[in-house]
């Protein structure tokens, strides 16, 4: 699943389904709820009244979700969910349930793209950081066929909180593996052939710089990698996640020990750690060459490509 964050108005999103942070009455209210009812028009309210008259006579319970037409919105459906107030019993599980149930309903509808607001982060009092963390972690972990979950945030502070949560959470193993599967077979053949053909000269890293470029200013040293290593470096897959934290918590860093028995997604994470690390510390790729991490990463990718890719 692709997770995106957007600064904007959720009522203007051209998606299959828009999630409404509704109140339990399903009859409209303030904030996102009021905006969706106003923009969507009478058709949404009519279906909500029908739901109240039938299945939800006492209102929609907190943490559950139900769908109606989207009326005049540029979406097909509205999925209504009721978030918990901050400080309520089991509040984290109830908020997580809002996202899981919304995705479950989206799957029943056949919706491929879903736009979410920051459920409970407005008048219900949730701190933006905590609301974002629960939302992003729950959506990442959900078993769903939804292809894109789009968090649409009007408030810039809330937007930054969601952006930070997405960066920290990172994609699931399944999402990373799906990205690998989307790469053509020719990509993998080229990568493995280039790795197999490495010579000792290719692996040797020279250092440039150290020269005085003007009086009193000396150019900092920098690694010079062979063309073969540069090509391999450009073909290694990467993922967007909090890789500095992953380094601290993961036993396969730094040399890839045990990577062969780990999910292939960890090979991507380890590759990302070195590739991104090179931008902050010259010579990170050299470390990967010398400690065997590069060899372990490519070996794990090869095992996936040859033994696991087709399931």
């Amino acid at each position: 699943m692709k997770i995106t964050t957007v600064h904007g108005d959720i009522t203007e999103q051209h998606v299959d389904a828009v999630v409404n942070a509704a109140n339990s009455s399903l009859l409209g209210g303030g904030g996102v709820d009021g905006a969706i009812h106003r923009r969507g028009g009478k058709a949404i309210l009519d279906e909500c009244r029908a739901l109240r008259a039938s299945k939800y006579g006492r209102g929609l319970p907190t943490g559950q979700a139900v769908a109606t037409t989207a009326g005049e919105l540029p979406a097909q459906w509205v999925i209504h969910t009721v978030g918990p107030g901050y400080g309520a019993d089991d509040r984290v599980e109830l908020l997580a349930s809002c996202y899981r149930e919304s995705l479950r309903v989206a799957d029943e509808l056949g919706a491929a793209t879903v736009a979410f607001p920051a459920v409970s982060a407005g008048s219900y009092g949730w701190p933006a950081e905590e609301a974002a963390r629960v939302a992003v972690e729950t959506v990442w972990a959900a078993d769903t066929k939804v292809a894109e979950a789009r968090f649409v945030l009007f408030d810039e502070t809330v937007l930054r909180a969601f952006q930070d949560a997405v960066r920290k959470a990172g994609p699931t193993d399944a999402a990373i593996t799906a990205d690998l599967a989307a790469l053509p077979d020719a990509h993998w053949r080229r990568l493995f052939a280039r790795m197999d053909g490495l010579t000792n000269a290719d692996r040797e890293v020279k250092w440039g710089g150290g020269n005085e470029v003007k009086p009193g200013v000396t150019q900092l040293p920098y690694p010079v990698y062979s063309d073969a290593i540069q090509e391999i470096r450009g073909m290694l897959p990467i993922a967007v996640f909090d890789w500095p934290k992953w380094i601290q918590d993961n036993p396969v860093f730094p040399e890839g020990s045990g990577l062969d028995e780990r999910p292939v997604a960890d090979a991507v994470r380890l590759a990302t750690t070195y590739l991104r690390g090179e931008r902050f510390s010259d010579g990170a790729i050299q470390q990967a060459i010398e400690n065997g991490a590069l060899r372990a990463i490519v070996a794990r990718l090869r095992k996936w490509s040859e033994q696991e890719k087709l399931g």
Side-chain angles (χ1 to χ4, degrees), residues 67-270:
T68 67
T69 179
E72 297 177 19
L73 295 174
Q76 291 182 270
W77 302 284
V78 173
I79 299 174
H80 306 266
T81 189
V82 180
Y86 188 66
D89 291 341
D90 300 323
R91 63 189 188 277
V92 171
E93 175 54 32
L94 285 170
L95 182 57
S97 179
C98 289
Y99 291 98
R100 283 196 298 268
E101 287 296 295
S102 294
L103 290 170
R104 179 188 61 78
V105 171
D107 283 339
E108 292 178 351
L109 296 170
T113 53
V114 179
F116 287 96
V119 178
S120 290
S123 60
Y124 281 21
W126 277 70
E129 293 78 8
E130 189 171 358
R133 178 187 61 78
V134 174
V136 171
E137 290 181 358
T138 302
V139 170
W140 270 133
D143 181 11
T144 178
K145 295 180 181 178
V146 171
E148 180 189 353
R150 183 183 307 171
F151 290 105
V152 184
L153 301 316
F154 185 78
D155 182 272
E156 290 190 3
T157 299
V158 178
L159 172 67
R160 287 193 295 271
F162 271 78
Q163 290 173 332
D164 189 52
V166 170
R167 179 184 62 82
K168 289 180 178 179
T172 62
D173 289 358
I176 291 175
T177 305
D179 287 341
L180 294 181
L183 292 171
D185 290 341
H187 176 93
W188 301 115
R189 288 195 297 269
R190 180 63 178 169
L191 171 61
F192 303 145
R194 209 66 169 113
M195 191 71 186
D196 291 342
L198 282 181
T199 66
N200 289 335
D202 290 328
R203 294 183 179 89
E204 183 181 354
V205 180
K206 301 178 181 179
W207 284 78
N211 303 314
E212 189 175 59
V213 293
K214 62 181 181 180
V217 178
T218 301
Q219 185 181 27
L220 294 174
Y222 59 89
V224 180
Y225 298 108
S226 66
D227 290 344
I229 291 296
Q230 289 283 40
E231 187 173 355
I232 290 171
R233 176 181 174 181
M235 289 189 289
L236 289 176
I238 61 173
V240 179
F241 69 105
D242 191 359
W243 56 269
K245 182 178 184 300
W246 187 83
I247 290 173
Q248 300 171 14
D249 298 341
N250 207 283
V252 304
F253 184 81
E255 76 282 356
S257 177
L259 190 59
D260 184 62
E261 302 303 321
R262 299 291 291 267
V264 69
D266 275 346
V268 177
R269 295 184 179 103
L270 186 57

Side-chain angles (χ1 to χ4, degrees), residues 251-291:
V252 304
F253 184 81
E255 76 282 356
S257 177
L259 190 59
D260 184 62
E261 302 303 321
R262 299 291 291 267
V264 69
D266 275 346
V268 177
R269 295 184 179 103
L270 186 57
T272 301
T273 298
Y274 281 106
L275 292 169
R276 294 303 189 210
E278 183 74 27
R279 297 172 58 185
F280 296 94
S281 178
D282 288 337
I285 301 299
Q286 180 183 23
Q287 180 189 11
I289 296 169
E290 294 177 349
N291 68 14

Side-chain angles (χ1 to χ4, degrees), residues 10-16 18 39 70-77:
I10 198 167
T11 68
E12 297 177 353
Q13 302 303 305
H14 291 260
V15 291
D16 294 332
V18 166
R39 176 75 183 272
E72 297 177 19
L73 295 174
Q76 291 182 270
W77 302 284

